[in-house]
Amino acid sequence: MNILVINGPNLNLLGEREPKIYGSETLDELMVWLENCSKSLEHKFKFYQSNHEGEIIDILHDERHWAQGILINAGAYAHYSYAIRDALVSISIPSVEVHLSDIDARENFRKKSVLKSVCIGSVQGKGKNSYLE
Ligand code: DQA
């Protein structure tokens, strides 16, 4: 399966950003780990990170003919970006929303995800295992 992995804003600072919440590994380490763990499944991955809402939408559009599945950690955009939600609906590729932390156990504003209902699944609170699952 061709899997498009999109990491949103501030995830480029993983490793130095709030390590008690997000862990001490960098985004690169985490994505290499994910690809290695999935080797036996013979998936092909493309990894992107962007701090910009429109750029995330452009990536979804540009990769829509390649991707057969999407893992998206939209960071804070997950809580309010109707534009990313519309993009996921527009390309209609099975997508799973991922969060490293348990967004239901944190501040109130994180409890709502506008992406959840347009994804086939949502995994949160399992650190890097959220991506693997
Ligand atoms: C996050 C949770 C979001 O609330 C936050 O804005 C992030 C990271 C996570 O992976 O736990 O940037 O998506």
Side-chain angles (χ1 to χ4, degrees), residues 50-87:
S50 175
N51 293 323
H52 306 281
E53 186 179 26
E55 195 174 357
I56 291 171
I57 293 164
D58 286 342
I59 294 164
L60 288 167
H61 292 179
D62 291 348
E63 295 294 352
R64 72 188 189 280
H65 298 304
W66 179 85
Q68 297 168 310
I70 296 170
L71 290 183
I72 182 161
N73 183 348
Y77 285 140
H79 309 305
Y80 65 91
S81 176
Y82 295 109
I84 293 177
R85 178 193 161 97
D86 280 351

PDB file of all heavy atoms in Angstrom, residues 50-87:
ATOM      1  N   SER A  50       4.776  19.929   7.491  1.00  0.00           N
ATOM      2  CA  SER A  50       4.596  21.338   7.139  1.00  0.00           C
ATOM      3  C   SER A  50       3.962  22.076   8.304  1.00  0.00           C
ATOM      4  O   SER A  50       3.111  21.539   9.021  1.00  0.00           O
ATOM      5  CB  SER A  50       3.704  21.483   5.905  1.00  0.00           C
ATOM      6  OG  SER A  50       3.459  22.858   5.684  1.00  0.00           O
ATOM      7  N   ASN A  51       4.391  23.330   8.442  1.00  0.00           N
ATOM      8  CA  ASN A  51       3.795  24.200   9.461  1.00  0.00           C
ATOM      9  C   ASN A  51       2.666  25.055   8.887  1.00  0.00           C
ATOM     10  O   ASN A  51       2.134  25.913   9.589  1.00  0.00           O
ATOM     11  CB  ASN A  51       4.877  25.115  10.054  1.00  0.00           C
ATOM     12  CG  ASN A  51       5.893  24.310  10.849  1.00  0.00           C
ATOM     13  OD1 ASN A  51       5.536  23.342  11.522  1.00  0.00           O
ATOM     14  ND2 ASN A  51       7.153  24.694  10.780  1.00  0.00           N
ATOM     15  N   HIS A  52       2.306  24.796   7.626  1.00  0.00           N
ATOM     16  CA  HIS A  52       1.375  25.692   6.931  1.00  0.00           C
ATOM     17  C   HIS A  52       0.131  24.932   6.446  1.00  0.00           C
ATOM     18  O   HIS A  52       0.242  23.944   5.711  1.00  0.00           O
ATOM     19  CB  HIS A  52       2.083  26.341   5.748  1.00  0.00           C
ATOM     20  CG  HIS A  52       3.360  27.033   6.160  1.00  0.00           C
ATOM     21  ND1 HIS A  52       3.358  28.272   6.751  1.00  0.00           N
ATOM     22  CD2 HIS A  52       4.649  26.613   6.137  1.00  0.00           C
ATOM     23  CE1 HIS A  52       4.611  28.604   7.055  1.00  0.00           C
ATOM     24  NE2 HIS A  52       5.413  27.617   6.690  1.00  0.00           N
ATOM     25  N   GLU A  53      -0.997  25.434   6.820  1.00  0.00           N
ATOM     26  CA  GLU A  53      -2.275  24.783   6.493  1.00  0.00           C
ATOM     27  C   GLU A  53      -2.435  24.572   4.981  1.00  0.00           C
ATOM     28  O   GLU A  53      -2.752  23.460   4.525  1.00  0.00           O
ATOM     29  CB  GLU A  53      -3.414  25.654   7.038  1.00  0.00           C
ATOM     30  CG  GLU A  53      -4.782  25.042   6.906  1.00  0.00           C
ATOM     31  CD  GLU A  53      -5.849  25.966   7.499  1.00  0.00           C
ATOM     32  OE1 GLU A  53      -5.621  27.208   7.551  1.00  0.00           O
ATOM     33  OE2 GLU A  53      -6.901  25.440   7.901  1.00  0.00           O
ATOM     34  N   GLY A  54      -2.196  25.652   4.208  1.00  0.00           N
ATOM     35  CA  GLY A  54      -2.373  25.544   2.757  1.00  0.00           C
ATOM     36  C   GLY A  54      -1.408  24.550   2.133  1.00  0.00           C
ATOM     37  O   GLY A  54      -1.752  23.850   1.165  1.00  0.00           O
ATOM     38  N   GLU A  55      -0.211  24.475   2.689  1.00  0.00           N
ATOM     39  CA  GLU A  55       0.773  23.537   2.149  1.00  0.00           C
ATOM     40  C   GLU A  55       0.338  22.085   2.407  1.00  0.00           C
ATOM     41  O   GLU A  55       0.514  21.212   1.551  1.00  0.00           O
ATOM     42  CB  GLU A  55       2.149  23.812   2.773  1.00  0.00           C
ATOM     43  CG  GLU A  55       3.276  23.148   2.018  1.00  0.00           C
ATOM     44  CD  GLU A  55       4.647  23.537   2.548  1.00  0.00           C
ATOM     45  OE1 GLU A  55       4.758  24.373   3.470  1.00  0.00           O
ATOM     46  OE2 GLU A  55       5.629  22.961   2.036  1.00  0.00           O
ATOM     47  N   ILE A  56      -0.254  21.860   3.573  1.00  0.00           N
ATOM     48  CA  ILE A  56      -0.763  20.505   3.874  1.00  0.00           C
ATOM     49  C   ILE A  56      -1.865  20.139   2.868  1.00  0.00           C
ATOM     50  O   ILE A  56      -1.917  19.019   2.351  1.00  0.00           O
ATOM     51  CB  ILE A  56      -1.270  20.444   5.333  1.00  0.00           C
ATOM     52  CG1 ILE A  56      -0.078  20.553   6.290  1.00  0.00           C
ATOM     53  CG2 ILE A  56      -2.067  19.163   5.594  1.00  0.00           C
ATOM     54  CD1 ILE A  56      -0.432  20.727   7.751  1.00  0.00           C
ATOM     55  N   ILE A  57      -2.704  21.105   2.561  1.00  0.00           N
ATOM     56  CA  ILE A  57      -3.779  20.869   1.584  1.00  0.00           C
ATOM     57  C   ILE A  57      -3.177  20.604   0.198  1.00  0.00           C
ATOM     58  O   ILE A  57      -3.595  19.669  -0.501  1.00  0.00           O
ATOM     59  CB  ILE A  57      -4.749  22.070   1.561  1.00  0.00           C
ATOM     60  CG1 ILE A  57      -5.476  22.138   2.908  1.00  0.00           C
ATOM     61  CG2 ILE A  57      -5.747  21.966   0.408  1.00  0.00           C
ATOM     62  CD1 ILE A  57      -6.163  23.447   3.193  1.00  0.00           C
ATOM     63  N   ASP A  58      -2.157  21.376  -0.171  1.00  0.00           N
ATOM     64  CA  ASP A  58      -1.488  21.156  -1.472  1.00  0.00           C
ATOM     65  C   ASP A  58      -0.875  19.749  -1.541  1.00  0.00           C
ATOM     66  O   ASP A  58      -0.935  19.090  -2.586  1.00  0.00           O
ATOM     67  CB  ASP A  58      -0.378  22.188  -1.691  1.00  0.00           C
ATOM     68  CG  ASP A  58      -0.934  23.569  -2.027  1.00  0.00           C
ATOM     69  OD1 ASP A  58      -2.115  23.669  -2.415  1.00  0.00           O
ATOM     70  OD2 ASP A  58      -0.176  24.558  -1.887  1.00  0.00           O
ATOM     71  N   ILE A  59      -0.275  19.300  -0.437  1.00  0.00           N
ATOM     72  CA  ILE A  59       0.325  17.955  -0.414  1.00  0.00           C
ATOM     73  C   ILE A  59      -0.771  16.903  -0.625  1.00  0.00           C
ATOM     74  O   ILE A  59      -0.618  15.965  -1.411  1.00  0.00           O
ATOM     75  CB  ILE A  59       1.070  17.710   0.919  1.00  0.00           C
ATOM     76  CG1 ILE A  59       2.291  18.635   1.031  1.00  0.00           C
ATOM     77  CG2 ILE A  59       1.497  16.238   1.050  1.00  0.00           C
ATOM     78  CD1 ILE A  59       2.854  18.756   2.453  1.00  0.00           C
ATOM     79  N   LEU A  60      -1.886  17.074   0.067  1.00  0.00           N
ATOM     80  CA  LEU A  60      -2.997  16.115  -0.092  1.00  0.00           C
ATOM     81  C   LEU A  60      -3.467  16.090  -1.548  1.00  0.00           C
ATOM     82  O   LEU A  60      -3.703  15.015  -2.125  1.00  0.00           O
ATOM     83  CB  LEU A  60      -4.154  16.484   0.842  1.00  0.00           C
ATOM     84  CG  LEU A  60      -3.901  16.218   2.329  1.00  0.00           C
ATOM     85  CD1 LEU A  60      -4.957  16.911   3.194  1.00  0.00           C
ATOM     86  CD2 LEU A  60      -3.889  14.720   2.631  1.00  0.00           C
ATOM     87  N   HIS A  61      -3.576  17.269  -2.153  1.00  0.00           N
ATOM     88  CA  HIS A  61      -4.005  17.324  -3.564  1.00  0.00           C
ATOM     89  C   HIS A  61      -2.961  16.670  -4.481  1.00  0.00           C
ATOM     90  O   HIS A  61      -3.288  15.841  -5.327  1.00  0.00           O
ATOM     91  CB  HIS A  61      -4.188  18.784  -4.009  1.00  0.00           C
ATOM     92  CG  HIS A  61      -5.339  19.472  -3.353  1.00  0.00           C
ATOM     93  ND1 HIS A  61      -5.649  20.776  -3.594  1.00  0.00           N
ATOM     94  CD2 HIS A  61      -6.268  19.027  -2.457  1.00  0.00           C
ATOM     95  CE1 HIS A  61      -6.719  21.132  -2.895  1.00  0.00           C
ATOM     96  NE2 HIS A  61      -7.101  20.083  -2.182  1.00  0.00           N
ATOM     97  N   ASP A  62      -1.695  17.061  -4.269  1.00  0.00           N
ATOM     98  CA  ASP A  62      -0.632  16.605  -5.187  1.00  0.00           C
ATOM     99  C   ASP A  62      -0.406  15.097  -5.117  1.00  0.00           C
ATOM    100  O   ASP A  62       0.002  14.489  -6.103  1.00  0.00           O
ATOM    101  CB  ASP A  62       0.692  17.329  -4.863  1.00  0.00           C
ATOM    102  CG  ASP A  62       0.623  18.808  -5.218  1.00  0.00           C
ATOM    103  OD1 ASP A  62      -0.322  19.219  -5.909  1.00  0.00           O
ATOM    104  OD2 ASP A  62       1.521  19.564  -4.769  1.00  0.00           O
ATOM    105  N   GLU A  63      -0.613  14.528  -3.935  1.00  0.00           N
ATOM    106  CA  GLU A  63      -0.327  13.097  -3.763  1.00  0.00           C
ATOM    107  C   GLU A  63      -1.577  12.220  -3.900  1.00  0.00           C
ATOM    108  O   GLU A  63      -1.523  11.019  -3.645  1.00  0.00           O
ATOM    109  CB  GLU A  63       0.329  12.857  -2.389  1.00  0.00           C
ATOM    110  CG  GLU A  63       1.699  13.504  -2.226  1.00  0.00           C
ATOM    111  CD  GLU A  63       2.783  12.908  -3.145  1.00  0.00           C
ATOM    112  OE1 GLU A  63       2.527  11.877  -3.819  1.00  0.00           O
ATOM    113  OE2 GLU A  63       3.878  13.490  -3.197  1.00  0.00           O
ATOM    114  N   ARG A  64      -2.702  12.824  -4.302  1.00  0.00           N
ATOM    115  CA  ARG A  64      -3.966  12.068  -4.269  1.00  0.00           C
ATOM    116  C   ARG A  64      -4.001  10.900  -5.246  1.00  0.00           C
ATOM    117  O   ARG A  64      -4.739   9.942  -5.037  1.00  0.00           O
ATOM    118  CB  ARG A  64      -5.165  12.995  -4.482  1.00  0.00           C
ATOM    119  CG  ARG A  64      -5.333  13.526  -5.895  1.00  0.00           C
ATOM    120  CD  ARG A  64      -6.438  14.571  -5.930  1.00  0.00           C
ATOM    121  NE  ARG A  64      -6.788  14.968  -7.278  1.00  0.00           N
ATOM    122  CZ  ARG A  64      -6.088  15.844  -8.012  1.00  0.00           C
ATOM    123  NH1 ARG A  64      -4.987  16.376  -7.521  1.00  0.00           N
ATOM    124  NH2 ARG A  64      -6.496  16.158  -9.228  1.00  0.00           N
ATOM    125  N   HIS A  65      -3.198  10.941  -6.310  1.00  0.00           N
ATOM    126  CA  HIS A  65      -3.207   9.806  -7.244  1.00  0.00           C
ATOM    127  C   HIS A  65      -2.211   8.737  -6.835  1.00  0.00           C
ATOM    128  O   HIS A  65      -2.267   7.612  -7.327  1.00  0.00           O
ATOM    129  CB  HIS A  65      -2.924  10.292  -8.674  1.00  0.00           C
ATOM    130  CG  HIS A  65      -3.967  11.241  -9.165  1.00  0.00           C
ATOM    131  ND1 HIS A  65      -5.313  10.928  -9.209  1.00  0.00           N
ATOM    132  CD2 HIS A  65      -3.875  12.520  -9.609  1.00  0.00           C
ATOM    133  CE1 HIS A  65      -6.002  11.965  -9.661  1.00  0.00           C
ATOM    134  NE2 HIS A  65      -5.145  12.948  -9.905  1.00  0.00           N
ATOM    135  N   TRP A  66      -1.266   9.099  -5.952  1.00  0.00           N
ATOM    136  CA  TRP A  66      -0.271   8.126  -5.473  1.00  0.00           C
ATOM    137  C   TRP A  66      -0.765   7.421  -4.200  1.00  0.00           C
ATOM    138  O   TRP A  66      -0.657   6.202  -4.073  1.00  0.00           O
ATOM    139  CB  TRP A  66       1.070   8.834  -5.198  1.00  0.00           C
ATOM    140  CG  TRP A  66       2.128   7.909  -4.692  1.00  0.00           C
ATOM    141  CD1 TRP A  66       2.963   7.139  -5.430  1.00  0.00           C
ATOM    142  CD2 TRP A  66       2.447   7.618  -3.324  1.00  0.00           C
ATOM    143  NE1 TRP A  66       3.782   6.386  -4.613  1.00  0.00           N
ATOM    144  CE2 TRP A  66       3.481   6.669  -3.317  1.00  0.00           C
ATOM    145  CE3 TRP A  66       1.939   8.078  -2.089  1.00  0.00           C
ATOM    146  CZ2 TRP A  66       4.036   6.158  -2.125  1.00  0.00           C
ATOM    147  CZ3 TRP A  66       2.478   7.584  -0.914  1.00  0.00           C
ATOM    148  CH2 TRP A  66       3.521   6.627  -0.956  1.00  0.00           C
ATOM    149  N   ALA A  67      -1.316   8.219  -3.297  1.00  0.00           N
ATOM    150  CA  ALA A  67      -1.636   7.680  -1.961  1.00  0.00           C
ATOM    151  C   ALA A  67      -2.835   6.737  -2.002  1.00  0.00           C
ATOM    152  O   ALA A  67      -3.847   7.017  -2.644  1.00  0.00           O
ATOM    153  CB  ALA A  67      -1.909   8.830  -1.000  1.00  0.00           C
ATOM    154  N   GLN A  68      -2.677   5.623  -1.284  1.00  0.00           N
ATOM    155  CA  GLN A  68      -3.806   4.701  -1.110  1.00  0.00           C
ATOM    156  C   GLN A  68      -4.333   4.742   0.316  1.00  0.00           C
ATOM    157  O   GLN A  68      -5.399   4.229   0.620  1.00  0.00           O
ATOM    158  CB  GLN A  68      -3.358   3.280  -1.462  1.00  0.00           C
ATOM    159  CG  GLN A  68      -2.954   3.159  -2.924  1.00  0.00           C
ATOM    160  CD  GLN A  68      -2.241   1.866  -3.232  1.00  0.00           C
ATOM    161  OE1 GLN A  68      -1.288   1.488  -2.545  1.00  0.00           O
ATOM    162  NE2 GLN A  68      -2.697   1.186  -4.261  1.00  0.00           N
ATOM    163  N   GLY A  69      -3.523   5.315   1.177  1.00  0.00           N
ATOM    164  CA  GLY A  69      -3.916   5.497   2.571  1.00  0.00           C
ATOM    165  C   GLY A  69      -3.139   6.672   3.138  1.00  0.00           C
ATOM    166  O   GLY A  69      -2.047   6.981   2.657  1.00  0.00           O
ATOM    167  N   ILE A  70      -3.729   7.320   4.109  1.00  0.00           N
ATOM    168  CA  ILE A  70      -3.091   8.508   4.681  1.00  0.00           C
ATOM    169  C   ILE A  70      -3.047   8.391   6.196  1.00  0.00           C
ATOM    170  O   ILE A  70      -4.034   7.986   6.833  1.00  0.00           O
ATOM    171  CB  ILE A  70      -3.879   9.789   4.293  1.00  0.00           C
ATOM    172  CG1 ILE A  70      -3.823   9.997   2.776  1.00  0.00           C
ATOM    173  CG2 ILE A  70      -3.341  11.019   5.030  1.00  0.00           C
ATOM    174  CD1 ILE A  70      -4.743  11.080   2.259  1.00  0.00           C
ATOM    175  N   LEU A  71      -1.871   8.713   6.760  1.00  0.00           N
ATOM    176  CA  LEU A  71      -1.758   8.931   8.207  1.00  0.00           C
ATOM    177  C   LEU A  71      -1.536  10.412   8.376  1.00  0.00           C
ATOM    178  O   LEU A  71      -0.595  10.965   7.803  1.00  0.00           O
ATOM    179  CB  LEU A  71      -0.532   8.212   8.783  1.00  0.00           C
ATOM    180  CG  LEU A  71      -0.516   6.702   8.870  1.00  0.00           C
ATOM    181  CD1 LEU A  71       0.779   6.246   9.553  1.00  0.00           C
ATOM    182  CD2 LEU A  71      -1.702   6.196   9.667  1.00  0.00           C
ATOM    183  N   ILE A  72      -2.380  11.057   9.149  1.00  0.00           N
ATOM    184  CA  ILE A  72      -2.210  12.504   9.333  1.00  0.00           C
ATOM    185  C   ILE A  72      -2.222  12.880  10.811  1.00  0.00           C
ATOM    186  O   ILE A  72      -3.172  12.573  11.527  1.00  0.00           O
ATOM    187  CB  ILE A  72      -3.257  13.319   8.524  1.00  0.00           C
ATOM    188  CG1 ILE A  72      -3.012  14.820   8.721  1.00  0.00           C
ATOM    189  CG2 ILE A  72      -4.691  12.923   8.819  1.00  0.00           C
ATOM    190  CD1 ILE A  72      -3.649  15.709   7.659  1.00  0.00           C
ATOM    191  N   ASN A  73      -1.102  13.479  11.236  1.00  0.00           N
ATOM    192  CA  ASN A  73      -1.071  14.153  12.527  1.00  0.00           C
ATOM    193  C   ASN A  73      -1.048  15.638  12.184  1.00  0.00           C
ATOM    194  O   ASN A  73      -0.004  16.199  11.863  1.00  0.00           O
ATOM    195  CB  ASN A  73       0.165  13.761  13.335  1.00  0.00           C
ATOM    196  CG  ASN A  73       0.151  14.428  14.713  1.00  0.00           C
ATOM    197  OD1 ASN A  73      -0.652  15.326  14.966  1.00  0.00           O
ATOM    198  ND2 ASN A  73       1.041  13.992  15.595  1.00  0.00           N
ATOM    199  N   ALA A  74      -2.209  16.229  12.217  1.00  0.00           N
ATOM    200  CA  ALA A  74      -2.331  17.628  11.796  1.00  0.00           C
ATOM    201  C   ALA A  74      -1.964  18.590  12.919  1.00  0.00           C
ATOM    202  O   ALA A  74      -2.136  19.806  12.757  1.00  0.00           O
ATOM    203  CB  ALA A  74      -3.740  17.893  11.291  1.00  0.00           C
ATOM    204  N   GLY A  75      -1.468  18.067  14.038  1.00  0.00           N
ATOM    205  CA  GLY A  75      -1.124  18.948  15.153  1.00  0.00           C
ATOM    206  C   GLY A  75      -2.354  19.745  15.556  1.00  0.00           C
ATOM    207  O   GLY A  75      -3.483  19.240  15.524  1.00  0.00           O
ATOM    208  N   ALA A  76      -2.148  21.003  15.897  1.00  0.00           N
ATOM    209  CA  ALA A  76      -3.269  21.834  16.366  1.00  0.00           C
ATOM    210  C   ALA A  76      -4.324  22.051  15.287  1.00  0.00           C
ATOM    211  O   ALA A  76      -5.494  22.320  15.605  1.00  0.00           O
ATOM    212  CB  ALA A  76      -2.737  23.173  16.872  1.00  0.00           C
ATOM    213  N   TYR A  77      -3.961  21.916  14.010  1.00  0.00           N
ATOM    214  CA  TYR A  77      -4.973  22.072  12.954  1.00  0.00           C
ATOM    215  C   TYR A  77      -6.103  21.052  13.098  1.00  0.00           C
ATOM    216  O   TYR A  77      -7.212  21.281  12.624  1.00  0.00           O
ATOM    217  CB  TYR A  77      -4.342  21.917  11.565  1.00  0.00           C
ATOM    218  CG  TYR A  77      -3.522  23.097  11.101  1.00  0.00           C
ATOM    219  CD1 TYR A  77      -2.327  22.908  10.416  1.00  0.00           C
ATOM    220  CD2 TYR A  77      -3.949  24.400  11.308  1.00  0.00           C
ATOM    221  CE1 TYR A  77      -1.564  23.972   9.975  1.00  0.00           C
ATOM    222  CE2 TYR A  77      -3.194  25.474  10.878  1.00  0.00           C
ATOM    223  CZ  TYR A  77      -2.010  25.259  10.209  1.00  0.00           C
ATOM    224  OH  TYR A  77      -1.264  26.322   9.771  1.00  0.00           O
ATOM    225  N   ALA A  78      -5.800  19.930  13.724  1.00  0.00           N
ATOM    226  CA  ALA A  78      -6.832  18.898  13.904  1.00  0.00           C
ATOM    227  C   ALA A  78      -8.031  19.457  14.669  1.00  0.00           C
ATOM    228  O   ALA A  78      -9.164  19.018  14.487  1.00  0.00           O
ATOM    229  CB  ALA A  78      -6.259  17.705  14.667  1.00  0.00           C
ATOM    230  N   HIS A  79      -7.773  20.476  15.490  1.00  0.00           N
ATOM    231  CA  HIS A  79      -8.841  20.986  16.351  1.00  0.00           C
ATOM    232  C   HIS A  79      -9.734  22.018  15.668  1.00  0.00           C
ATOM    233  O   HIS A  79     -10.808  22.320  16.162  1.00  0.00           O
ATOM    234  CB  HIS A  79      -8.232  21.585  17.627  1.00  0.00           C
ATOM    235  CG  HIS A  79      -7.268  20.649  18.304  1.00  0.00           C
ATOM    236  ND1 HIS A  79      -7.616  19.375  18.682  1.00  0.00           N
ATOM    237  CD2 HIS A  79      -5.952  20.785  18.627  1.00  0.00           C
ATOM    238  CE1 HIS A  79      -6.563  18.782  19.223  1.00  0.00           C
ATOM    239  NE2 HIS A  79      -5.536  19.605  19.198  1.00  0.00           N
ATOM    240  N   TYR A  80      -9.267  22.566  14.527  1.00  0.00           N
ATOM    241  CA  TYR A  80     -10.096  23.636  13.946  1.00  0.00           C
ATOM    242  C   TYR A  80      -9.979  23.815  12.429  1.00  0.00           C
ATOM    243  O   TYR A  80     -10.652  24.687  11.875  1.00  0.00           O
ATOM    244  CB  TYR A  80      -9.803  24.977  14.630  1.00  0.00           C
ATOM    245  CG  TYR A  80      -8.396  25.488  14.413  1.00  0.00           C
ATOM    246  CD1 TYR A  80      -8.098  26.333  13.340  1.00  0.00           C
ATOM    247  CD2 TYR A  80      -7.364  25.119  15.251  1.00  0.00           C
ATOM    248  CE1 TYR A  80      -6.816  26.799  13.130  1.00  0.00           C
ATOM    249  CE2 TYR A  80      -6.070  25.590  15.047  1.00  0.00           C
ATOM    250  CZ  TYR A  80      -5.808  26.422  13.988  1.00  0.00           C
ATOM    251  OH  TYR A  80      -4.526  26.870  13.778  1.00  0.00           O
ATOM    252  N   SER A  81      -9.201  23.011  11.742  1.00  0.00           N
ATOM    253  CA  SER A  81      -9.034  23.287  10.303  1.00  0.00           C
ATOM    254  C   SER A  81     -10.101  22.592   9.451  1.00  0.00           C
ATOM    255  O   SER A  81      -9.955  21.428   9.055  1.00  0.00           O
ATOM    256  CB  SER A  81      -7.653  22.877   9.787  1.00  0.00           C
ATOM    257  OG  SER A  81      -7.625  23.092   8.378  1.00  0.00           O
ATOM    258  N   TYR A  82     -11.150  23.358   9.154  1.00  0.00           N
ATOM    259  CA  TYR A  82     -12.182  22.816   8.262  1.00  0.00           C
ATOM    260  C   TYR A  82     -11.639  22.685   6.847  1.00  0.00           C
ATOM    261  O   TYR A  82     -12.136  21.882   6.064  1.00  0.00           O
ATOM    262  CB  TYR A  82     -13.431  23.705   8.290  1.00  0.00           C
ATOM    263  CG  TYR A  82     -14.086  23.706   9.656  1.00  0.00           C
ATOM    264  CD1 TYR A  82     -14.043  24.833  10.481  1.00  0.00           C
ATOM    265  CD2 TYR A  82     -14.708  22.559  10.138  1.00  0.00           C
ATOM    266  CE1 TYR A  82     -14.620  24.810  11.743  1.00  0.00           C
ATOM    267  CE2 TYR A  82     -15.278  22.524  11.402  1.00  0.00           C
ATOM    268  CZ  TYR A  82     -15.227  23.660  12.200  1.00  0.00           C
ATOM    269  OH  TYR A  82     -15.780  23.627  13.443  1.00  0.00           O
ATOM    270  N   ALA A  83     -10.602  23.459   6.531  1.00  0.00           N
ATOM    271  CA  ALA A  83     -10.020  23.383   5.188  1.00  0.00           C
ATOM    272  C   ALA A  83      -9.294  22.046   4.986  1.00  0.00           C
ATOM    273  O   ALA A  83      -9.396  21.426   3.919  1.00  0.00           O
ATOM    274  CB  ALA A  83      -9.065  24.556   4.970  1.00  0.00           C
ATOM    275  N   ILE A  84      -8.569  21.590   6.015  1.00  0.00           N
ATOM    276  CA  ILE A  84      -7.908  20.271   5.900  1.00  0.00           C
ATOM    277  C   ILE A  84      -8.971  19.169   5.902  1.00  0.00           C
ATOM    278  O   ILE A  84      -8.891  18.202   5.145  1.00  0.00           O
ATOM    279  CB  ILE A  84      -6.863  20.083   7.020  1.00  0.00           C
ATOM    280  CG1 ILE A  84      -5.695  21.065   6.814  1.00  0.00           C
ATOM    281  CG2 ILE A  84      -6.337  18.636   7.039  1.00  0.00           C
ATOM    282  CD1 ILE A  84      -4.618  21.032   7.889  1.00  0.00           C
ATOM    283  N   ARG A  85      -9.987  19.350   6.708  1.00  0.00           N
ATOM    284  CA  ARG A  85     -11.092  18.383   6.711  1.00  0.00           C
ATOM    285  C   ARG A  85     -11.714  18.292   5.310  1.00  0.00           C
ATOM    286  O   ARG A  85     -11.919  17.198   4.776  1.00  0.00           O
ATOM    287  CB  ARG A  85     -12.142  18.834   7.738  1.00  0.00           C
ATOM    288  CG  ARG A  85     -13.358  17.944   7.808  1.00  0.00           C
ATOM    289  CD  ARG A  85     -14.469  18.621   8.597  1.00  0.00           C
ATOM    290  NE  ARG A  85     -15.744  18.011   8.299  1.00  0.00           N
ATOM    291  CZ  ARG A  85     -16.323  17.078   9.029  1.00  0.00           C
ATOM    292  NH1 ARG A  85     -15.755  16.648  10.109  1.00  0.00           N
ATOM    293  NH2 ARG A  85     -17.466  16.541   8.677  1.00  0.00           N
ATOM    294  N   ASP A  86     -11.997  19.439   4.690  1.00  0.00           N
ATOM    295  CA  ASP A  86     -12.582  19.442   3.341  1.00  0.00           C
ATOM    296  C   ASP A  86     -11.650  18.770   2.333  1.00  0.00           C
ATOM    297  O   ASP A  86     -12.105  18.066   1.430  1.00  0.00           O
ATOM    298  CB  ASP A  86     -12.855  20.879   2.881  1.00  0.00           C
ATOM    299  CG  ASP A  86     -14.143  21.449   3.455  1.00  0.00           C
ATOM    300  OD1 ASP A  86     -14.914  20.689   4.072  1.00  0.00           O
ATOM    301  OD2 ASP A  86     -14.364  22.663   3.290  1.00  0.00           O
ATOM    302  N   ALA A  87     -10.346  19.000   2.493  1.00  0.00           N
ATOM    303  CA  ALA A  87      -9.377  18.381   1.569  1.00  0.00           C
ATOM    304  C   ALA A  87      -9.425  16.861   1.693  1.00  0.00           C
ATOM    305  O   ALA A  87      -9.412  16.145   0.681  1.00  0.00           O
ATOM    306  CB  ALA A  87      -7.968  18.902   1.850  1.00  0.00           C
TER     307      ALA A  87
END
